[in-house]
């Protein structure tokens, strides 16, 4: 049987297309992320929290509180519009609602399993009272469900009936029931009685339908659509519209209370449809109700509300009318937690704590960790787009052009508008499509609120006005949406997070935060709406592409120190958000090592970090792997908080870092940005141009239509060099910097820095790891076959620099060969070489042929398969 299972698996893989033929949409990407939650994180979170709780109890005597979680998840999929025209306001709204739908669907499954498990009768008084309240309102709910079922059935049967398909005219509705229609079919009625006993049959006497003028109507022509609609209204509120729009009344004989009317509708529905409601079949008969477990009654009510919540979300996703009583569905996490915690307390008080701490505790922990949205969606947009939007607004209002003002004038204008009470953007404003999309995004953000969305990240932030511009656009949208709907926006304001990416912006990050917090309005806003908590994001990808890996690492370290100091000056708590990629060139690497190498004080009990691309699957794709990864995060943050890493022992070390960084940056930029041959060499030596064929993401490879390195995204920049096994972005410039300092007699200082300074040690270790993955002969083969003869000398020069970098990294670390302190990694790399090397040889040959025959689809497919294979073998590709 195992052999057959294996054969089936291999057959399935063999006959599955190895390539994605169409580019995924942002919604496709979001669904893939939600699948990771459903298949892995949903199972991992309860186990992880249980282990954290057990460890805390063992060491402190107190477990983790049930409604506390040290970790939360967010997502950029469907929210990151930075240079991605495919992410629109509608996409963001749909992805957010889809995430909510998935959360509710998962909760329904868990509550179903829980109902089966909690069959006991004994409970505390509070739960007993709640169960009785639910039972008392159950009859009315059942009747309404029956009427809904009837409507669905009639709607389907009438709208899809054969006479409609054949274009025939629909028969008219009868104005009253035929004679003797209320009698059972098993008897012939006559005044003289019957040989069969007369059966009692539920009936309702209805007056004939009549027009407004009181004239009886023997026939009227109503379409099948009208028929089903009228029948729905008939069951819902006792009135029906004729096709001409006039109202007809259906008046039952006698007067009924609302409860009796519901019962009448139920009986009428059952008599007409000839069956019981589906929900009634699932419910126990009334004679059994007293013996039902109260937990099942309460959880049954929870399930019913969850199902109505799910249905409401489906209607919203389909842009259909959605009128639900707020009491019928769950909007917030607390609403769902309340009955679950009541069940938990009841079980604990009745001596069933072992049950309470099982599946029920797991569900409560999931609700706390995932909330009603699974992952809150972060929005991201480039700062220039906000400036363009304000330009359009100020020009429309004859105030001038916003982007032409100096920083002080911008801040004065923004602060004044933020303190005002009126909206800034007129409803009648006509703007360009790009500006309209920005305004629409803020409108959707106002409608969804912070219950569904996380942070608004401003990429390429460089000034305090960049943050206040977003705050103003957000406030304006909230005022407009609130006024239009006549009620406040559902969720709170989004926290606005500046993202400092380039070396220049990183150097100014601290002063920008100081300027922001010195503005009274902003500081009060942070304290009032965000609990005195400022989030600041630092980018590893663009800083690395801008100045090289070593300089980027040092500038990031200094920027974090400065931002933390700025927030401390104003008594504001700070969370640093690390925008790491999968590769070393984009700040990737082992999580524990990365967190432990942060500046002292930068991880004060809180940290955010991105996991991108293939790393999401690698770290969270399997439940056990996910649990381990979450434990690593928790351990590293705890240690960095309780036992912060050591700062540099003496100022001399910082001076040496500055010198290494300066030499490294000059070497890197002189090669990448100042050498006129480098761009052409890059295109020839790597499959960068061909990466566009890969349908691996919805985002274009470039921010703008330019062929230069500057506008190329960091991912394809790193990805292309990883394919050739040269991994140039991770080490270029490092060797020159280390060599320059060593030649000045500071070799022993560098060795001491490596041993005693965690930041310097982790930086060198990560570079050493990536050098272990670089392959000199393979990179040389790419040059010999693909690069034109006039540029091969540049390749040879870069390979010499690779050898020099390897030499000086080993000198500083004191290792005899690369990855000496990580033998398991070395074994992994060596075990992959028999697979990687042939794929690289194939890729070179396919690239050579494809560049002579660009339209050859078979060659293009072969190239993409080699790209996927090499990426899988190299692991952290970009």
């Amino acid at each position: 049987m195992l052999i057959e299972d294996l054969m089936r698996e291999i057959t399935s893989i063999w006959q599955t297309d190895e390539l994605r033929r169409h580019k995924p949409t942002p919604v496709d990407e979001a669904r893939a992320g939600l699948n990771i939650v459903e298949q892995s994180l949903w199972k991992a979170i309860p186990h992880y929290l249980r282990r954290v709780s057990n460890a805390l109890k063992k060491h402190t005597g107190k477990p983790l509180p049930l409604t506390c979680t040290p970790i939360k998840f967010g997502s950029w999929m469907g929210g990151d519009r930075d240079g991605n025209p495919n992410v629109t306001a509608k996409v963001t709204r749909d992805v957010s609602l889809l995430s909510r739908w998935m959360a509710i669907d998962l909760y329904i499954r868990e509550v179903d399993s829980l109902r089966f498990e909690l069959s006991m009768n004994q409970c505390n008084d509070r739960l007993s009272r709640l169960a009785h309240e639910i039972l008392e309102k159950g009859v009315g709910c059942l009747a309404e469900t029956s009427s809904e079922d009837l409507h669905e059935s009639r709607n389907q049967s009438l709208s899809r009936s054969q006479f409609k398909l054949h274009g025939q005219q629909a028969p008219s509705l009868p104005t009253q029931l035929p004679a003797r229609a209320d009698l059972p079919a098993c008897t012939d009625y006559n005044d003289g009685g019957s040989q069969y006993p007369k059966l009692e049959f539920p009936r309702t006497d209805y007056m004939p339908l009549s027009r407004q003028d009181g004239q009886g109507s023997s026939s009227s022509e109503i379409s099948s659509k009208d028929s089903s609609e009228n029948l729905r209204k008939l069951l819902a509120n006792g009135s029906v519209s004729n096709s001409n729009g006039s109202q007809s009344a259906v008046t039952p004989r006698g007067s009924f209370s609302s409860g009796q009317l519901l019962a009448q509708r139920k009986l009428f529905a059952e008599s007409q449809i000839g069956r019981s409601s589906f929900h009634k079949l699932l419910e126990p008969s009334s004679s059994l109700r007293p013996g039902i477990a109260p937990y099942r009654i309460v959880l049954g009510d929870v399930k019913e509300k969850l199902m109505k919540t799910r249905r409401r979300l489906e209607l919203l996703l389909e842009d259909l009318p959605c009128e639900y009583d707020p009491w019928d569905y769950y909007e917030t996490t607390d609403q769902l937690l309340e009955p679950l915690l009541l069940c938990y307390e009841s079980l604990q008080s009745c001596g069933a704590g072992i049950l309470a701490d099982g599946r029920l505790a797991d569900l409560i922990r999931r609700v706390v960790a995932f909330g009603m949205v699974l992952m809150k969606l972060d929005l991201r947009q480039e700062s220039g787009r906000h400036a363009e939007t304000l330009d359009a607004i100020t020009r429309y209002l004859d105030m001038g052009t916003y982007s032409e003002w100096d920083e002080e004038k911008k801040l004065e204008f923004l602060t004044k508008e933020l303190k005002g009470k009126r909206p800034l953007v007129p409803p009648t404003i006509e703007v360009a499509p790009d500006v309209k999309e920005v305004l629409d995004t803020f409108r959707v953000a106002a409608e969804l609120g912070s219950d569904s969305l996380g942070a608004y990240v401003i990429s390429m932030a460089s000034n305090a006005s960049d943050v206040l511009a977003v705050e103003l656009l957000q406030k304006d949208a909230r005022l407009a949406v609130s006024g239009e709907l006549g009620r406040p926006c559902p969720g709170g304001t989004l926290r606005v997070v500046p993202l400092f990416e380039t070396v220049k912006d990183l150097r100014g990050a601290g002063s920008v935060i100081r300027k922001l917090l010195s503005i009274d309005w902003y500081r009060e806003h942070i304290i009032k709406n965000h609990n005195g908590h400022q989030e600041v994001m630092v980018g590893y990808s663009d800083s690395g592409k801008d100045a090289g890996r070593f300089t980027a690492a040092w500038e990031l370290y200094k920027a974090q120190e400065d931002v933390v100091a700025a927030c401390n000056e104003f008594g504001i708590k700070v969370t640093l958000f690390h925008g790491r990629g999968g590769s070393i060139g984009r700040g990737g690497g082992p999580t524990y090592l990365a967190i432990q190498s942060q500046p002292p004080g930068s991880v004060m009990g809180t940290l955010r970090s991105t996991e991108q691309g293939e790393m999401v699957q690698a770290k969270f794709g399997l439940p056990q792997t996910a649990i381990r990864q979450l434990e690593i995060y928790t351990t590293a943050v705890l240690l960095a908080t309780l036992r912060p890493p050591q700062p540099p022992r003496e100022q001399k070390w910082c001076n040496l870092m500055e010198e290494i960084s300066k030499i490294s940056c000059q070497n890197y930029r002189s090669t990448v940005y100042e050498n006129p041959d480098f761009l052409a060499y890059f295109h020839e030596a790597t499959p960068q141009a061909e990466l566009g064929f890969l349908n691996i993401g919805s985002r274009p490879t470039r921010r703008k239509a330019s062929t230069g390195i500057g506008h190329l995204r960091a991912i394809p920049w790193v990805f292309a060099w990883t394919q050739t096994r040269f991994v140039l972005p991770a080490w270029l410039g490092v060797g020159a910097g280390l060599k320059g300092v060593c030649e000045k007699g500071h070799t022993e200082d560098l060795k001491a820095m490596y041993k005693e300074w965690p930041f310097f040690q982790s930086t060198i270790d990560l570079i050493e790891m990536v050098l272990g993955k670089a392959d000199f002969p393979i990179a040389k083969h790419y040059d010999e076959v693909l690069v034109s003869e006039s540029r091969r000398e540049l390749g040879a020069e870069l390979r010499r620099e690779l050898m020099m970098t390897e030499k000086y990294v080993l000198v500083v670390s004191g290792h005899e060969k690369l990855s000496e302190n990580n033998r398991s990694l070395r074994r992994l790399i060596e075990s992959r070489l028999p697979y990687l090397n042939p794929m690289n040889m194939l890729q070179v040959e396919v690239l050579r042929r494809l560049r002579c025959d660009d339209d050859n689809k078979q060659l293009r497919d072969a190239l993409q398969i080699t790209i996927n294979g090499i990426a899988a073998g190299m692991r952290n590709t970009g």
Side-chain angles (χ1 to χ4, degrees):
M1 285 172 68
L2 288 171
I3 295 295
E4 287 176 357
D5 284 347
L6 191 58
M7 290 293 289
R8 274 188 279 272
E9 196 71 29
I10 292 169
T11 305
S12 172
I13 294 169
W14 189 254
Q15 295 191 11
T16 299
D17 196 345
E18 293 163 293
L19 301 171
R20 183 185 279 122
R21 299 293 173 180
H22 302 285
K23 209 170 184 66
T25 66
V27 177
D28 292 334
E29 292 174 331
R31 273 201 299 266
L34 292 174
N35 283 339
I36 294 282
V37 176
E38 181 182 12
Q39 300 298 326
S40 177
L41 287 173
W42 189 256
K43 300 169 188 172
I45 277 291
H47 290 282
Y48 155 73
L49 291 174
R50 198 179 290 276
R51 291 171 75 146
V52 172
S53 182
N54 289 342
L56 280 172
K57 192 171 183 179
K58 177 182 176 183
H59 293 284
T60 69
K62 294 181 179 179
L64 183 74
L66 193 61
T67 54
C68 171
T69 178
I71 201 154
K72 293 264 188 180
F73 298 95
S75 170
W76 282 14
M77 295 173 281
D80 183 6
R81 58 236 316 122
D82 178 18
N84 189 350
N86 302 309
V87 179
T88 62
K90 185 180 186 313
V91 165
T92 295
R93 178 182 178 274
D94 287 351
V95 168
S96 180
L97 291 174
L98 191 64
S99 185
R100 276 184 169 267
W101 185 94
M102 174 73 85
I104 300 301
D105 192 60
L106 289 168
Y107 289 139
I108 288 171
R109 297 182 216 173
E110 290 301 320
V111 169
D112 245 359
S113 302
L114 201 55
R115 281 179 80 193
F116 180 80
E117 184 177 289
L118 301 183
S119 55
M120 60 291 303
N121 295 329
Q122 193 176 356
C123 67
N124 64 14
D125 292 341
R126 285 183 65 200
L127 191 75
S128 178
R129 281 196 300 273
L130 179 59
H132 279 92
E133 287 172 14
I134 293 168
L135 279 177
E136 284 171 10
K137 69 174 184 180
V139 176
C141 293
L142 189 62
E144 291 212 24
T145 305
S146 301
S147 66
E148 286 174 12
D149 287 349
L150 172 62
H151 161 58
E152 290 295 328
S153 173
R154 294 287 297 186
N155 197 28
Q156 289 176 13
S157 63
L158 287 170
S159 64
R160 298 174 186 171
S161 58
Q162 57 180 0
F163 59 76
K164 185 172 181 181
L165 288 173
H166 294 294
Q168 296 176 14
Q169 192 174 2
S172 60
L173 281 175
T175 56
Q176 64 184 47
L177 293 174
R180 300 187 296 167
D182 59 330
L183 299 180
C186 59
T187 179
D188 288 322
Y189 178 75
N190 56 60
D191 293 332
S194 167
Q195 57 179 331
Y196 300 108
K198 186 174 178 179
L199 300 177
E200 291 296 326
F201 193 80
R203 57 167 286 174
T204 304
D205 293 333
Y206 284 90
M207 296 278 289
L209 297 179
S210 62
R211 292 188 185 275
Q212 249 184 340
D213 58 9
Q215 299 295 318
S217 172
S218 58
S219 67
S220 66
E221 293 183 3
I222 304 176
S223 71
S224 58
K225 183 179 177 182
D226 291 335
S227 304
S228 60
E229 182 64 16
N230 287 341
L231 191 55
R232 181 184 68 77
K233 290 180 178 177
L234 170 70
L235 294 173
N237 52 32
S239 68
V240 33
S241 297
N242 285 332
S243 57
N244 62 10
S246 62
Q247 289 289 321
S248 301
V250 181
T251 311
R253 288 179 183 161
S255 64
F256 297 97
S257 67
S258 61
Q260 288 173 314
L261 186 59
L262 287 171
Q264 287 287 342
R265 288 182 193 161
K266 186 185 82 155
L267 292 173
F268 176 72
E270 290 178 358
S271 66
Q272 290 298 306
I273 207 166
R275 63 172 176 82
S276 294
S277 148
F278 167 70
H279 286 281
K280 185 178 177 184
L281 295 174
L282 297 179
E283 295 295 331
S285 64
S286 56
S287 62
L288 296 176
R289 285 188 188 275
I292 292 178
Y295 299 97
R296 287 186 170 174
I297 295 171
V298 171
L299 292 173
D301 185 60
V302 170
K303 183 188 173 185
E304 187 180 338
K305 283 187 178 179
L306 285 169
M307 290 176 75
K308 287 180 179 177
T309 307
R310 184 174 65 180
R311 179 59 187 149
R312 176 177 176 269
L313 290 166
E314 289 166 4
L315 292 172
L316 288 171
L317 277 163
E318 293 169 6
D319 290 323
L320 293 173
C322 178
E323 294 179 6
Y324 271 76
D325 188 326
W327 294 101
D328 282 348
Y329 63 89
Y330 292 120
E331 188 73 42
T332 66
T333 303
D334 289 341
Q335 290 172 336
L336 178 54
L337 273 177
E338 188 179 354
L340 299 178
L341 289 171
L342 190 57
C343 289
Y344 184 87
E345 290 165 10
S346 178
L347 287 169
Q348 290 284 8
S349 65
C350 294
I354 189 74
L355 281 170
D357 289 326
R359 192 186 292 272
L360 177 58
D362 286 349
L363 175 56
I364 291 169
R365 284 181 169 136
R366 284 185 175 114
V367 174
V368 173
F370 293 114
M372 304 301 283
V373 292
L374 290 185
M375 299 184 289
K376 285 191 176 184
L377 190 62
D378 280 3
L379 307 183
R380 183 168 78 139
Q381 182 59 280
E382 200 250 331
S383 59
R385 294 289 301 277
H386 305 134
E388 289 170 16
T389 303
L390 286 170
D391 280 350
I393 294 167
T394 53
R395 280 199 296 263
Y396 182 84
L397 297 172
D398 297 326
M399 299 172 68
T401 304
Y402 170 84
S403 58
E404 294 176 358
W405 302 344
D406 61 27
E407 179 68 5
E408 286 306 315
K409 187 176 179 182
K410 286 179 182 177
L411 290 175
E412 183 185 346
F413 163 73
L414 294 168
T415 307
K416 180 185 173 185
E417 289 297 332
L418 282 164
K419 289 178 178 177
K421 296 181 179 179
R422 58 163 176 76
L424 173 69
V425 184
T428 55
I429 193 170
E430 292 183 8
V431 291
D434 281 358
V435 173
K436 185 178 185 301
E437 183 54 47
V438 172
L439 293 174
D440 286 347
T441 297
F442 280 101
R443 188 179 184 83
V444 164
E447 289 172 359
L448 294 171
S450 59
D451 290 342
S452 298
L453 304 178
Y456 193 107
V457 178
I458 310 165
S459 58
M460 296 295 172
S462 56
N463 294 295
S465 60
D466 293 332
V467 175
L468 291 189
V470 172
E471 291 286 10
L472 176 57
L473 291 170
Q474 179 176 205
K475 175 201 169 213
D476 202 77
R478 289 178 64 80
L479 283 174
V481 170
S482 174
E484 187 175 298
L485 300 179
R487 59 184 175 83
C489 292
T493 56
L494 310 190
R495 58 190 191 276
V496 178
V497 180
L499 164 53
F500 301 104
E501 299 179 83
T502 65
V503 168
K504 179 185 174 185
D505 291 341
L506 284 168
R507 286 172 179 166
S511 61
V512 169
I513 298 301
R514 283 185 181 88
K515 185 67 177 175
L516 266 176
L517 295 176
S518 68
I519 297 169
D520 293 341
W521 180 90
Y522 186 79
R523 192 170 62 254
E524 288 166 11
H525 166 70
I526 288 290
I527 293 168
K528 179 183 174 184
N529 295 313
H530 301 295
N531 299 318
H533 203 131
Q534 174 68 55
E535 190 173 310
V536 177
M537 188 171 182
V538 288
Y540 289 69
S541 304
D542 283 285
S543 57
K545 183 165 71 73
D546 189 34
R549 181 71 193 98
F550 197 95
T551 300
W554 179 231
E555 293 298 338
L556 282 158
Y557 186 93
K558 291 190 296 180
Q560 290 177 67
E561 279 190 324
D562 202 13
V563 166
V564 170
C567 289
N568 287 341
E569 287 167 23
F570 289 91
I572 298 293
K573 185 175 173 62
V574 64
T575 293
L576 286 166
F577 185 2
H578 300 267
R580 296 178 178 277
S583 62
I584 305 303
R586 296 183 59 227
T591 304
Y592 178 84
L593 198 62
I595 296 173
Q596 281 294 290
S597 64
Q598 300 307 312
S602 65
V603 184
M604 291 306 292
T606 173
L607 174 128
R608 283 195 92 200
S609 184
T610 53
E611 294 288 0
Q612 296 182 25
E614 73 280 4
M615 301 316 294
V616 176
Q617 181 68 44
K619 292 183 176 181
F620 300 105
L622 295 170
Q624 291 305 317
T625 312
I627 291 168
R628 180 66 179 149
Q629 192 63 33
L630 295 174
E631 287 180 348
I632 289 170
Y633 266 114
T634 309
T635 304
V637 171
L638 274 170
L639 274 176
T641 304
L642 300 173
R643 195 176 64 203
Q646 290 296 313
R649 192 181 70 196
E650 49 186 299
Q651 182 59 38
K652 182 182 178 182
W653 289 5
C654 292
N655 297 337
L656 287 173
M657 282 296 295
E658 284 289 348
E659 194 168 346
I660 297 169
S661 174
K662 184 179 178 182
I663 297 169
S664 174
C665 184
Q666 285 174 347
N667 178 273
Y668 177 89
R669 291 194 65 85
S670 67
T671 300
V672 174
Y673 291 99
E674 295 164 17
N675 189 323
D677 288 332
F678 181 80
L679 186 60
Y681 170 76
F682 172 53
H683 286 301
E684 287 179 352
T686 73
Q688 187 275 323
E690 290 80 7
L691 290 177
F693 300 144
L694 284 175
N695 295 309
I696 55 175
S698 68
R699 197 164 65 171
T701 55
R702 293 182 176 275
R703 279 193 171 92
K704 297 178 182 176
S706 159
T707 56
I709 300 294
H711 290 139
L712 181 70
R713 289 192 178 278
I715 294 175
W717 164 246
V718 174
F719 201 142
W721 288 113
T722 307
Q723 287 288 307
T724 66
R725 310 271 291 281
F726 207 14
V727 285
L728 177 138
W731 55 262
L732 183 60
V734 175
L738 294 176
K739 179 185 177 184
V741 172
C742 285
E743 285 180 348
K744 290 182 179 179
H746 297 297
T747 305
E748 292 305 314
D749 290 316
L750 294 181
K751 288 182 178 180
M753 287 163 65
Y754 179 80
K755 288 178 182 176
E756 298 178 38
W757 190 10
F759 162 72
F760 186 73
Q761 186 184 77
S762 72
T763 303
I764 296 297
D765 282 349
L766 290 173
I767 292 166
E768 185 177 335
M769 183 189 88
V770 84
L771 288 171
K773 288 187 175 185
D775 193 294
F776 190 103
I778 293 288
K780 184 180 179 184
H781 183 61
Y782 274 81
D783 278 12
E784 289 172 345
V785 177
L786 301 173
V787 177
S788 56
E789 200 165 333
S790 61
R791 299 188 187 92
R792 285 180 192 168
E793 181 53 36
L794 175 57
E797 187 183 320
L798 288 170
R799 288 193 296 279
R800 286 194 291 273
E801 192 154 340
L802 170 65
M803 301 303 290
M804 178 190 64
T805 304
E806 183 177 320
K807 172 187 172 183
Y808 280 97
V809 164
L810 290 175
V811 166
V812 171
S813 66
H815 300 152
E816 290 184 13
K817 56 184 179 180
L818 295 172
S819 303
E820 185 180 291
N821 63 336
N822 196 342
R823 292 182 182 178
S824 60
L825 175 66
R826 186 166 188 81
R827 282 198 302 272
L828 276 172
I829 294 170
E830 289 171 353
S831 69
R832 293 179 202 147
L833 293 181
Y835 306 94
L836 269 172
N837 291 346
M839 277 191 283
N840 278 113
M841 304 301 282
L842 276 168
Q843 187 177 88
V844 172
E845 180 60 22
V846 171
L847 274 171
R848 185 186 68 79
R849 296 187 192 184
L850 190 60
R851 288 174 180 177
C852 301
D853 185 9
D854 190 46
D855 294 327
N856 191 319
K857 292 183 179 178
Q858 286 182 312
L859 282 174
R860 193 173 290 182
D861 282 1
L863 175 65
Q864 290 182 55
I865 290 167
T866 63
I867 290 173
N868 289 342
I870 294 167
M874 293 293 284
R875 294 296 295 276
N876 42 7
T877 60

